[in-house]
Amino acid sequence: MKPLTPSSIRAPFARYSHGAEVPAGHRLVFCSGQLGIAPDGTIPESVRDQADLCFANIAAILAEAGMALKDIVRVNAYVTDRAHMKGYMESRDAHVGSPPPASTLMIVSGFTLPEFKVEIEVVAAAPEKRRKPARTVTAPKF
């Protein structure tokens, strides 16, 4: 990923890039929004813990495609209160790679359950996997 942060506009407010260029020859993975819920159905109280779970879920999804959190090029995040921004941003900064991805954070009125405070969706990109060349078998000459 090539970060795009032109000097002609104000620098980002936090650790993110204004844009991210994905070179040709990369695979893309689009993750649905993930909520801070554990496999057993528990929902942590703190925003940071919920965001950490969101990123753990995203890591599992990316692993299915042979990718990791370092491959994230775009983050869209939603929190239910300005007070939750700090916990979310601490989690994001701890989990994304360098250079930081493009990122948007929005304050929303709520999610499917009132206990949820944050939802995170991402786009990730990684180079195409090299395929082994097909074996050439030549027919015997008679």
Side-chain angles (χ1 to χ4, degrees):
M1 168 186 80
K2 176 184 173 187
L4 304 173
T5 306
S7 61
S8 60
I9 64 175
R10 188 187 186 289
F13 288 103
R15 190 176 172 270
Y16 64 88
S17 299
H18 280 307
E21 180 180 349
V22 177
H26 278 60
R27 299 175 297 121
L28 297 175
V29 171
F30 297 82
C31 293
S32 295
Q34 296 299 303
L35 295 162
I37 187 167
D40 66 2
T42 57
I43 301 169
E45 176 63 29
S46 85
V47 175
R48 173 65 194 259
D49 289 343
Q50 284 190 26
D52 287 344
L53 265 175
C54 292
F55 279 109
N57 293 342
I58 290 165
I61 294 164
L62 294 177
E64 288 285 311
M67 294 185 192
L69 294 173
K70 68 177 180 52
D71 296 313
I72 294 172
V73 296
R74 172 93 179 128
V75 177
N76 290 333
Y78 312 89
V79 295
T80 56
D81 193 290
R82 278 183 176 77
H84 301 325
M85 291 171 54
K86 183 177 187 277
Y88 156 71
M89 289 175 18
E90 288 172 351
S91 179
R92 179 199 61 199
D93 292 352
H95 292 10
V96 299
S98 286
S103 182
T104 297
L105 175 59
M106 295 179 61
I107 300 166
V108 298
S109 63
F111 301 112
T112 53
L113 295 175
E115 295 86 359
F116 292 128
K117 298 174 181 172
V118 62
E119 183 170 348
I120 304 168
E121 61 187 29
V122 306
V123 176
E128 285 287 345
K129 294 180 181 176
R130 292 191 181 251
R131 295 190 175 131
K132 293 180 184 176
R135 254 183 46 182
T136 308
V137 178
T138 52
K141 296 189 183 209
F142 296 101

